[in-house]
Amino acid sequence: MSISVNPLKFAANALEPFISEKTIGFHYGKHLQNYVNTANTLIKDTPLDSLSLIELVKKAEGAVFNNAAQAYNHQFYFDGLSPQKVEIPAALAEKINSDFGSFENFRNEFITKATGNFGSGWTWLVVDAKSGKLAVKNTSNAGNPITEGDRILLTIDVWEHAYYLDYQNLRKGYVEKFFDYVDWNFVNSNLNS
Ligand code: MN
């Protein structure tokens, strides 16, 4: 069995001006595909070949983890985006208000942590495994909070390849605009799944 990822659910130019068609072309078409191809090369004819993508993220180590988790993280990132404005479902809004105090508090914490995530990595909205409350967490490189038992709801890729063609060094501008393109129905479905 080899791993694969879903096609994009929107056209490559559909997120403009937030993310350009050129960035999507490199990011989805080259970076993500390379992680998928490399993971498949590494697991071929090994016991890991029988595992699903999510099982590889939970169980693999080293280069297989890095490439499989990058494939998984990217799919989760692209699945969390929508070209059309999505209203936040009531249940999700209530949970955000309850755990962060307000949506603005959540947004500010997410922007601050994503902007400050040093080097290459991901910033996540999760349900914390210990507290059961929503939390914003940073991971580095291919890291994913599910390896710590958290439930993941949303992520933003803050590797430079995600934004550099459009924003150069201004990561904060990319992170701020991200909020206008989140598929909150996807986030809500992850809360309830
Ligand atoms: Mn990326």
Side-chain angles (χ1 to χ4, degrees), residues 27 31 35 70 74 122 157 159 161-162:
H27 200 185
H31 287 278
Y35 294 125
Q70 280 296 82
H74 279 91
W122 302 80
D157 186 346
W159 285 56
H161 66 229

Side-chain angles (χ1 to χ4, degrees), residues 21-33:
E21 181 174 8
K22 188 173 184 184
T23 290
I24 294 290
F26 278 104
H27 200 185
Y28 183 86
K30 304 289 184 188
H31 287 278
L32 170 53
Q33 197 56 51

